[in-house]
């Protein structure tokens, strides 16, 4: 029991390492990369702290070099999922009573381990398994994950500090209990940090969790598990299962003790999970919390007063970094006619200078897309645009899957502002641009707002303050993360809490107290020091 009001150590965002040619950090990272790339890792599930191997294995092949096998993971059967749930429920009693400073200490220690000895391994597995270049791995699997661990500890304390008023003779307290039962984290392939944050943010607040990572992220998920074990996370608090997402989710969502879903991934899958929770609602012991961050069709809109080079750079970075596989990636842009010629030249020149290939060559800005299904989907849209009268590919467009799933950064110019790639999430290195008449800038805002079902991120460019004010208001509901004169990607924990609304999610802002609040069920405690002993109130003495 705590005998003091402790402060969490001062929290700062983890500095991003630069990995300059010849630097020690680059040498360390690339030697880890090389040895892991040649090695073979057999990845078990984790249930009650035990490694579980089922013998039903799936090979792990890097997206940029899919003929190479760097490991395998073991798939769950239904009985393993049931064991994972039981393990959570057993661990719950002790974990929920563990004082917050000890829970926080585990994640603060994990942050220090990741900032130091685990950094190269976490980044290398993210580069190999998810095809990220050095910088993309560093900002995700090192810095963002460290930030989540540290800031969530701080946010937990900020929540706990919120206490009600007390009146004379009475002490009111608010206790922030974890949810009853167990929670379920379902995570996407594209950010190692999100994969770590979804289960650990719930666990930080005293919950226990079954975690199902994406089948395309298991290689780095295995390092997250190693890290959390070394940081001292007790057995059974997080149980990890791999394999058929439908069987795993069906088993979990049918359990009466299920109390919360923390999801990040596509809109379609989230809707299916929510529907299933709805169907089972009468079977649960409590109403489950549902948090989901889902798809996007993120925009860049430029006003005639904007700086062409700044807009072009935002497109080159915002649309193509990590092959456009960020939920926040710019995938549609609205450019005024007067700026188009300059912006077009800048973008074409940028893209022609972008090198594409394996992450091991650090000069490669673009690597592979995540898997064959994704490659096929994106290349079909590109093939369609090549033939369509309403579209013209002005740069890029080549797709090659002989060795890896490589797609050139591609810019589609369309004459139809409602063209299918202006509203469908492709999740690849493709942006579609609509050029508007300068005088129509206000009407174009309506297109930005209404063309897609999503509302995740968006960026506007202008030098005119009145215009900025007008657009900020006009696009109030078009994006949960809104950028002025900046690209729409790169949210930092503690600085730009992240999430969108409409079909983009429940907007519970990962990396903020608003997210952590979803994982507690407050209990109000009123204590009266001297209890009344007579039911009669003074007004009854009137007669
Ligand atoms: P996905 O929906 O294919 O997979 C996400 C998770 O759901 C994975 O763990 C997967 O195994 C699981 N899953 C897949 N089918 C399932 C089913 N039928 N039942 C239960 N679980 C199932 O998404 P992805 O390809 O991993 O990630 C890309 C998507 O995630 C994009 O739509 C992107 O916009 C979105 N995303 C959103 C955010 C955000 O913060 N809004 C962040 C990252 C990614």
């Amino acid at each position: 029991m705590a005998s003091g009001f402790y402060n969490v150590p001062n929290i700062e965002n983890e500095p991003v390492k630069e990995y300059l040619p010849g630097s020690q950090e680059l040498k360390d990272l690339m030697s880890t990369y090389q040895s892991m790339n040649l090695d073979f890792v057999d990845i078990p599930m984790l249930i009650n702290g035990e490694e579980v191997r089922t013998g039903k294995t799936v090979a792990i092949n890097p997206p940029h070099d899919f003929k190479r096998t760097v490991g395998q993971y073991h798939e769950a059967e239904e009985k393993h999922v049931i064991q994972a749930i039981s393990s959570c429920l057993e661990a719950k009693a002790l974990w929920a009573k563990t004082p917050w400073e000890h829970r926080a200490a585990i994640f603060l220690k994990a942050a220090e381990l990741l900032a130091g000895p685990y950094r190269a391994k976490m980044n290398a597995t993210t580069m190999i398994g998810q095809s990220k270049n050095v910088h993309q791995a560093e900002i995700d699997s090192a810095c963002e994950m460290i930030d989540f661990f540290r800031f969530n500890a701080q946010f937990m304390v900020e929540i706990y500090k919120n206490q009600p008023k007390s009146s004379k003779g009475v002490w009111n307290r608010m206790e922030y209990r974890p949810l009853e039962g167990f929670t379920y984290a379902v995570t996407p392939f594209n950010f190692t940090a999100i994969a770590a944050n979804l289960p650990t943010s719930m666990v930080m607040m005293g919950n226990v969790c079954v975690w199902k990572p994406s089948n395309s992220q298991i290689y780095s998920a295995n390092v997250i598990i190693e890290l959390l074990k070394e940081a001292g996370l007790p057995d059974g608090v997080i149980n990890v299962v791999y394999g058929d997402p439908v069987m795993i989710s069906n088993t979990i969502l049918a359990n009466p003790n299920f109390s919360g879903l923390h999801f990040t991934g596509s809109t379609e899958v989230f809707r299916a999970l929510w529907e299933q929770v709805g169907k089972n609602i009468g079977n649960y012991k409590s109403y489950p919390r549902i948090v989901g961050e889902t798809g996007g069709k993120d925009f860049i809109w430029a006003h005639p007063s904007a700086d062409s080079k700044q807009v072009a750079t935002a497109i080159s970075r915002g649309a193509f970094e990590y092959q456009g596989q960020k939920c926040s990636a710019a995938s549609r842009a609205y450019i005024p006619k007067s700026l188009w010629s300059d912006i077009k030249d800048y973008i074409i020149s940028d893209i022609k200078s972008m090198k594409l290939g394996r992450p091991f060559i650090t000069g490669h800005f673009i690597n592979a897309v995540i898997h064959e299904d994704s490659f096929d989907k994106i290349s079909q849209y590109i093939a369609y645009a090549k033939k369509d009268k309403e579209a013209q590919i002005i740069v890029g467009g080549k797709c090659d899957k002989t060795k890896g799933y490589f797609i050139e950064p591609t810019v589609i110019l369309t004459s139809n502002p409602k063209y299918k790639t202006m509203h469908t999430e492709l999740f690849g290195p493709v942006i579609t641009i609509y050029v508007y008449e300068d005088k129509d800038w206000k009407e174009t805002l309506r297109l930005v707002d209404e063309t897609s079902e999503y509302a995740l991120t968006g960026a506007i460019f202008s030098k005119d303050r009145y215009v900025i004010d007008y657009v900020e208001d006009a696009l109030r509901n078009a994006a949960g993360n809104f950028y002025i004169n900046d690209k729409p990607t790169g949210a930092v924990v503690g600085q730009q809490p992240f999430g969108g609304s409409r079909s983009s999610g429940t907007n519970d802002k990962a990396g903020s107290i608003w997210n952590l609040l979803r994982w507690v069920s407050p209990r109000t405690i009123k204590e009266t020091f001297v209890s009344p002993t007579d039911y009669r109130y003074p007004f009854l003495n009137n007669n």
Side-chain angles (χ1 to χ4, degrees):
M1 258 317 170
S3 300
F5 295 102
Y6 311 128
N7 293 327
V8 171
N10 278 345
I11 304 292
E12 298 287 344
N13 289 109
E14 176 67 11
V16 178
K17 289 190 188 283
E18 287 187 292
Y19 298 94
L20 294 174
S23 63
Q24 191 56 45
E25 64 215 28
L26 186 62
K27 284 183 198 150
D28 291 347
L29 174 57
M30 296 325 271
S31 74
T32 310
Y33 181 115
Q34 203 156 19
S35 69
M36 292 210 69
N37 202 36
L38 297 173
D39 209 357
F40 182 91
V41 198
D42 182 54
I43 301 180
M45 297 183 291
L46 183 80
I47 300 175
N48 201 21
E50 303 283 331
E51 297 188 346
V52 176
R53 291 181 168 78
T54 59
K56 201 174 154 218
T57 57
V58 179
I60 298 176
N61 310 108
H64 43 267
D65 188 11
F66 54 70
K67 287 178 189 148
R68 176 183 292 281
T69 301
V70 291
Q72 63 182 18
Y73 64 86
H74 291 252
E75 287 197 306
E77 292 165 23
E78 191 182 343
K79 66 177 182 192
H80 301 110
V81 184
I82 293 168
Q83 284 165 10
I85 296 171
S86 304
S87 163
C88 279
L89 296 174
E90 271 169 42
K92 180 71 185 282
L94 207 52
W95 182 247
K97 281 199 178 139
T98 301
W100 71 262
E101 66 273 18
H102 290 287
R103 297 200 309 266
I106 292 171
F107 296 103
L108 293 172
K109 178 170 178 174
E112 292 310 304
L113 289 167
L114 181 53
Y118 274 82
R119 195 178 199 119
K121 194 171 181 187
M122 194 71 83
N123 283 343
T125 47
T126 299
M127 292 167 75
I128 296 168
Q130 291 140 265
S131 204
K132 290 204 174 191
N133 66 31
V134 173
H135 176 70
Q136 293 303 317
E138 168 72 7
I139 58 174
D140 163 23
S141 51
C143 299
E144 191 173 356
M145 197 188 305
I146 293 167
D147 288 350
F148 275 132
F149 290 154
R150 290 185 181 146
F151 278 85
N152 281 344
Q154 176 68 43
F155 298 142
M156 169 169 62
V157 174
E158 285 173 25
I159 289 173
Y160 289 173
K161 275 187 186 156
N162 269 282
Q163 292 297 324
K165 279 180 153 193
S166 295
S167 52
K168 192 172 172 332
V170 166
W171 190 2
N172 294 321
R173 290 183 279 140
M174 188 76 102
E175 182 197 13
Y176 293 91
R177 303 170 300 182
L179 307 180
E180 281 194 280
F182 73 96
T183 62
Y184 181 35
V186 182
T187 57
F189 79 84
N190 65 336
F191 277 94
T192 308
I194 295 179
N197 181 49
L198 267 48
T200 57
S201 53
M202 296 192 289
V203 158
M204 177 84 82
M205 304 309 288
N207 295 287
V208 287
C209 174
V210 179
W211 172 27
K212 196 214 80 57
S214 159
N215 291 340
S216 303
Q217 187 266 325
I218 291 174
Y219 194 57
S220 59
N222 191 44
V223 185
I224 298 174
I225 295 165
E226 259 179 63
L227 173 75
L228 293 176
K229 275 192 140 193
E230 184 161 348
L233 189 72
D235 293 346
V237 172
I238 294 180
N239 296 279
V240 190
V241 288
Y242 303 133
D244 176 4
V246 175
M247 179 279 288
I248 294 172
S249 299
N250 282 346
T251 310
I252 285 175
L253 300 182
N255 192 293
N257 293 299
F258 163 71
S259 62
L261 170 67
H262 205 182
F263 176 87
T264 298
S266 59
T267 300
E268 187 191 359
V269 171
F270 184 53
R271 284 184 179 146
L273 292 173
W274 191 312
E275 199 175 322
Q276 214 172 338
V277 171
K279 282 190 186 138
N280 289 332
I281 198 72
N283 301 332
Y284 299 131
K285 292 183 183 165
S286 43
Y287 297 107
R289 301 282 167 90
I290 304 178
V291 171
E293 297 306 331
T294 57
K297 191 69 196 173
D298 310 301
F299 59 84
I300 290 178
W301 175 90
H303 182 257
S305 67
D307 178 296
S308 299
K309 188 80 175 100
Q310 290 175 2
V311 176
T313 304
I315 291 174
S316 297
R317 284 185 168 176
F320 303 125
E321 285 187 302
Y322 190 38
Q323 297 77 262
Q325 298 173 119
K326 300 187 183 192
C327 44
S328 54
S331 61
R332 54 185 171 127
Y334 302 80
I335 307 294
K337 204 170 186 177
S338 59
L339 302 186
W340 175 233
S341 170
D342 281 353
I343 290 177
K344 178 179 169 189
D345 290 349
Y346 289 136
I347 304 175
I348 292 175
S349 149
D350 279 353
I351 290 179
K352 289 199 165 153
S353 72
M354 287 176 188
K355 297 198 176 95
L356 179 149
R358 291 173 299 140
F360 186 67
I361 311 293
T362 55
H364 287 152
F365 187 77
I366 305 283
N367 309 115
V369 298
I370 193 69
H371 46 46
E372 190 166 19
D373 282 355
S374 179
F375 176 93
D376 290 347
K377 173 182 165 183
I378 301 161
S379 47
Q380 275 161 21
Y381 274 96
I382 292 175
Y384 182 87
K386 279 180 182 164
K387 290 195 214 128
D388 202 309
K389 281 201 302 289
E390 291 182 326
Q392 180 197 349
I393 291 183
I394 61 165
V395 62
K398 288 206 192 88
C399 308
D400 178 356
K401 62 171 176 180
T402 44
K403 290 187 181 149
Y405 304 115
F406 291 108
I407 296 183
E408 275 184 348
T410 301
V411 178
I412 300 173
L413 179 67
T414 184
S415 53
N416 174 6
K418 304 256 173 167
Y419 188 63
K420 63 165 72 180
T421 59
M422 289 298 275
H423 56 80
T424 309
E425 186 186 49
L426 306 192
F427 222 56
V430 180
I431 188 166
T432 308
I433 294 178
Y434 173 70
V435 176
Y436 68 86
E437 296 290 339
D438 289 26
K439 66 177 173 40
D440 295 336
W441 67 268
K442 283 190 181 166
E443 290 71 37
T444 311
L445 295 174
R446 198 147 181 204
L447 288 172
V448 175
D449 192 34
E450 294 177 358
T451 299
S452 117
E453 64 177 304
Y454 301 107
L456 189 50
T457 76
I460 62 155
F461 281 78
S462 173
K463 286 190 201 141
D464 184 324
R465 186 44 66 178
Y466 290 132
V467 168
I468 293 171
D469 179 32
Y470 182 90
V471 179
E472 190 179 306
D473 187 47
L475 297 181
R476 169 156 295 154
N477 293 311
N481 283 59
F482 188 73
Y483 293 81
I484 300 168
N485 293 324
D486 202 348
K487 65 182 169 56
T489 57
V492 174
V493 177
Q495 297 192 36
Q496 297 97 22
F498 193 79
S501 55
R502 298 184 182 162
S503 297
S504 291
T506 54
N507 200 11
D508 288 291
K509 298 291 184 207
S512 75
I513 57 167
W514 296 285
N515 180 282
L516 295 192
L517 267 173
R518 300 300 311 275
W519 311 120
V520 292
S521 175
R523 174 166 72 145
T524 307
I525 301 173
K526 175 186 177 189
E527 180 172 351
T528 299
F529 293 127
V530 182
S531 309
T533 51
D534 183 352
Y535 89 92
R536 280 170 283 258
Y537 294 103
F539 76 90
L540 293 173
N541 295 331
N542 284 340
N543 294 333

